[in-house]
Amino acid sequence: MYIVGLSHKVAPIEIREKFYLNPLQQDLLLSELKNHPLIDEAFVLSTCNRIEVYLKRSDNSVDPSFVISLIARTKKINFDFDVGPYIYAYEGQRALDHLLRVACGLESLVLGEKQILGQVKHSVERARGSGTLSRYFNILTNLAIRTGKKARNETAISHGGSSISWAAIAMAEKAAGNLQDKSVLVIGAGKMGEIALNHLHELGVKKIFLMNRTGEKAEQLATQYNGVAASFWNIKEILSEVDICFCAVGAPHYILDKEKIANIMEIRQGRKLVLIDISMPRNIDPEVKNLAGVHLSSIDDLHEVVDNSMKKRESSLAQVESIIRQKILEFNAKVSKLQNNPGSDFYQRA
């Protein structure tokens, strides 16, 4: 196995968002990989904090430059900077260890993050639907998913707050104080938006507004979490009223630019506005942070609250790493069995 990728550990958000692949772009890249004669199997993982291409290659010419050129072609862009410092490449046992660590949440910004296992599953399903998985990667991906489940079920690695949305709310509390007496706007009703809604509801936030491209989904979640569904047409009025705004949309452009927020701050007459952008790519113009009275945080700022909570789950690290070592042995044994019995279909049961 061969991995080429970048993550929050080596690349800031302004670099990661250039590489980020939306679902359509992932399908296009998988199609390119499927049709390439030097690629046997592949899947692609693209999240807020990492973009990784997993390959079973038949030639060493399939290297980081090869993968980066395919991503650039897929996104129809040119990388006008040296990507070398931001890219890592792993092969063989090092790559296997990395995948299992990712599935267990050990490589996440929030240690033990619960959402990453679901994201790995979706990536595998997308690749399977594209026809880029075969024997080797069926064993590999099924084992990775089982490893992630075992780590969560048998250790405390995901205990307590362990999501980007949770960290975003902790950041909002740090910036604005107790949230119970605050009013909040959540933009986006996807997975991260819904998790944020659930946390806010549990905290007893005074008033929650929800905006989403699909009004029906907004109405459904607003009812479920005792909030108010609102239209994007009213965003100026609502941002003039609320104390905090969480943005989790993932649109390909800024939905809140500096001019719009400057106009809103005039209406607010200096009253502080806390903006937390957990979108990928970012949907709030980073220049907004230069406006008086505005506190803007993005995903990369969340380490400030994550670092304080990490010690609660660090005691589980040794247990999870032991599980990973056990699963690596299991994987190697299965691959060896498959090589000795090419006609076996056991990999489907892995």
Side-chain angles (χ1 to χ4, degrees):
M1 178 173 62
Y2 186 63
I3 301 172
V4 176
L6 74 163
S7 75
H8 64 97
K9 291 189 173 184
V10 294
I13 191 168
E14 57 266 24
I15 299 297
R16 298 199 309 276
E17 64 188 3
K18 294 178 185 295
F19 285 84
Y20 177 77
L21 297 161
N22 63 35
L24 175 59
Q25 291 166 341
Q26 291 175 51
D27 287 338
L28 291 172
L29 179 57
L30 286 169
S31 179
E32 290 265 11
L33 295 169
K34 180 182 179 181
N35 294 323
H36 199 284
L38 299 180
I39 304 296
D40 298 323
E41 301 180 61
F43 70 96
V44 177
L45 180 61
S46 182
T47 73
C48 297
N49 286 319
R50 70 183 61 253
I51 299 89
E52 295 179 336
V53 180
Y54 292 76
L55 302 169
K56 187 172 186 293
R57 59 180 183 167
S58 57
D59 190 277
N60 287 343
S61 63
V62 177
D63 58 9
S65 297
F66 168 91
V67 174
I68 297 307
S69 66
L70 283 186
I71 292 175
R73 188 189 312 167
T74 300
K75 292 181 67 70
K76 296 182 171 59
I77 61 173
N78 291 315
F79 294 114
D80 56 354
F81 57 93
D82 180 12
V83 302
Y86 308 110
I87 301 296
Y88 47 79
Y90 305 134
E91 188 170 16
Q93 295 297 300
R94 178 68 182 88
L96 172 58
D97 179 71
H98 178 79
L99 172 59
L100 299 189
R101 289 179 63 84
V102 168
C104 292
L106 299 192
E107 296 294 320
S108 296
L109 174 67
V110 181
L111 182 66
E113 177 198 2
K114 296 175 182 177
Q115 281 66 52
I116 186 62
L117 184 57
Q119 291 165 336
V120 170
K121 288 180 183 177
H122 286 311
S123 295
V124 170
E125 290 165 4
R126 183 177 296 279
R128 186 168 285 126
S130 297
T132 60
L133 296 190
S134 190
R135 288 191 168 192
Y136 183 85
F137 270 19
N138 269 295
I139 302 172
L140 177 72
T141 55
N142 286 329
L143 195 84
I145 290 166
R146 292 213 327 271
T147 304
K149 288 180 180 178
K150 186 177 179 70
R152 282 158 178 74
N153 293 337
E154 298 183 11
T155 77
I157 195 65
S158 297
H159 179 73
S162 55
S163 70
I164 293 294
S165 300
W166 162 82
I169 287 171
M171 176 65 79
E173 288 181 309
K174 182 178 179 181
N178 190 304
L179 301 187
Q180 285 188 336
D181 61 344
K182 303 296 190 298
S183 56
V184 177
L185 168 63
V186 176
I187 305 177
K191 191 66 177 177
M192 287 204 295
E194 184 172 357
I195 293 170
L197 283 169
N198 183 50
H199 285 310
L200 292 167
H201 179 65
E202 290 179 346
L203 287 171
V205 171
K206 181 177 70 174
K207 192 164 189 178
I208 304 172
F209 295 95
L210 174 61
M211 289 182 182
N212 190 54
R213 181 176 55 84
T214 306
E216 184 179 346
K217 180 74 177 290
E219 289 282 357
Q220 174 194 339
L221 290 178
T223 300
Q224 182 177 345
Y225 295 108
N226 197 30
V228 177
S231 167
F232 276 103
W233 293 106
N234 299 323
I235 193 167
K236 184 175 180 180
E237 290 75 10
I238 292 174
L239 280 175
S240 299
E241 173 187 339
V242 299
D243 303 293
I244 301 161
C245 172
F246 294 96
C247 187
V249 180
H253 53 78
Y254 297 140
I255 64 171
L256 295 176
D257 58 30
K258 186 176 181 180
E259 182 181 358
K260 183 178 291 185
I261 297 299
N263 292 335
I264 288 166
M265 293 310 292
E266 286 185 14
I267 297 171
R268 294 176 69 91
Q269 297 182 335
R271 189 162 57 91
K272 184 178 181 179
L273 176 61
V274 175
L275 302 171
I276 313 286
D277 188 359
I278 52 175
S279 306
M280 174 59 72
R282 289 172 294 179
N283 287 160
I284 301 178
D285 183 351
E287 289 299 314
V288 163
K289 67 183 177 184
N290 296 321
L291 295 172
V294 175
H295 175 98
L296 172 64
S297 297
S298 68
I299 290 172
D300 281 6
D301 299 313
L302 300 183
H303 69 85
E304 296 176 25
V305 294
V306 169
D307 291 347
N308 293 331
S309 69
M310 194 170 294
K311 292 178 182 177
K312 298 176 184 178
R313 291 186 290 277
E314 282 182 341
S315 60
S316 300
L317 276 173
Q319 289 176 277
V320 177
E321 287 170 348
S322 176
I323 289 171
I324 289 172
R325 288 193 296 272
Q326 172 193 336
K327 290 299 183 181
I328 287 175
L329 292 175
E330 181 181 331
F331 173 80
N332 290 335
K334 288 188 175 184
V335 170
S336 177
K337 182 178 178 181
L338 180 62
Q339 289 171 340
N340 293 330
N341 185 13
S344 172
D345 65 349
F346 82 93
Y347 71 93
Q348 295 176 340
R349 305 190 299 273

